[in-house]
Amino acid sequence: MMVALVCGVGINDRSYPTKINGNHTKEYKVWRSMLNRVYGKTYIENKPSYLGCSVSDTFLYYHLFYNWCQIQIGFNAIGYDLDKDLLIKGNKLYSEDTCVFLPRSINSLLTKSTSARGIYPIGVKKSSKSNNFEAKCNIDGKPKYIGTYITPELAFQAYKAAKEKYIKEQAEIYKDVIDPRAYLALLNYEVDIDD
């Protein structure tokens, strides 16, 4: 049986289809995208946050990744993404023990935006009207004003409380359609000042 390498490392032994009726299967698209994020030179140049990431030996094999997908909550749902760092914050390994499928709205809720943030903690910006600091948190995809504070640290604490509350609310909304490990991780999620 002929073996094909994907991104120079992924092993496709062709035991499962990569295409049906001329279209790539969902399993293959997710697998190839994961490999590209970790091993694609151009991707890493554009998204340096993936520098230092790796893929488990199991996930390097398409047939093993394919089988894993079949038993994952959310895999067959529309609008779910493969996530590697909810279960273990800051995780850099894609593996069967560290990954879950999450609704895109939750996955994006947990995304760091270091380059867009500037010099202040996450959720904080200097007020244009005073020497104070404003806290804002994205709620339902839109920025929500939380308040104005005299220090960036106080503004961050207000942001942290609002964000953690919102994450817990989302956990309850999605409780029945996400992996139980993801639900618990969302309930216990803590926003750090350097997120």
Side-chain angles (χ1 to χ4, degrees):
M1 184 174 287
M2 194 169 124
V3 173
L5 287 181
V6 176
C7 294
V9 294
I11 300 163
N12 179 8
D13 66 5
R14 303 188 191 280
S15 57
Y16 287 107
T18 59
K19 286 186 178 181
I20 296 176
N21 297 327
N23 297 313
H24 281 116
T25 63
K26 184 174 183 180
E27 294 86 351
Y28 185 75
K29 285 192 271 189
V30 173
W31 183 67
R32 186 181 64 190
S33 178
M34 171 191 67
L35 293 173
N36 187 49
R37 283 192 298 275
V38 176
Y39 301 108
K41 183 180 177 187
T42 304
Y43 193 92
I44 293 171
E45 286 171 0
N46 293 326
K47 302 256 186 169
S49 62
Y50 284 93
L51 193 62
C53 287
S54 60
V55 174
S56 72
D57 290 343
T58 301
F59 273 16
L60 287 177
Y61 289 87
Y62 176 59
H63 73 280
L64 296 176
F65 183 79
Y66 184 101
N67 286 329
W68 177 82
C69 287
Q70 305 315 305
I71 58 172
Q72 298 310 302
I73 296 169
F75 172 71
N76 286 312
I78 295 171
Y80 278 54
D81 295 325
L82 181 66
D83 176 85
K84 68 169 172 34
D85 44 21
L86 171 62
L87 300 181
I88 303 170
K89 197 169 182 182
N91 177 53
K92 296 278 195 176
L93 175 67
Y94 283 92
S95 77
E96 58 279 14
D97 297 322
T98 60
C99 290
V100 291
F101 286 94
L102 293 176
R104 198 161 291 131
S105 60
I106 289 181
N107 202 21
S108 63
L109 178 67
L110 306 174
T111 303
K112 291 175 75 166
S113 298
T114 306
S115 60
R117 181 168 58 243
I119 62 170
Y120 299 110
I122 188 168
V124 177
K125 73 173 200 162
K126 183 90 162 115
S127 173
S128 60
K129 300 174 185 172
S130 69
N131 284 328
N132 293 325
F133 300 87
E134 294 178 358
K136 287 186 180 176
C137 182
N138 281 345
I139 304 292
D140 296 325
K142 298 176 184 166
K144 179 183 176 190
Y145 174 77
I146 299 167
T148 302
Y149 304 87
I150 58 171
T151 67
E153 293 78 18
L154 289 173
F156 168 73
Q157 289 304 320
Y159 165 81
K160 174 181 168 67
K163 180 84 169 206
E164 288 175 356
K165 179 177 182 271
Y166 183 63
I167 290 170
K168 286 173 180 51
E169 289 168 359
Q170 295 303 296
E172 293 303 330
I173 290 169
Y174 288 100
K175 178 180 182 177
D176 296 330
V177 292
I178 59 175
D179 187 303
R181 297 172 302 154
Y183 170 71
L184 288 174
L186 290 168
L187 288 182
N188 295 313
Y189 193 88
E190 291 187 18
V191 175
D192 294 324
I193 201 161
D194 59 349
D195 277 352

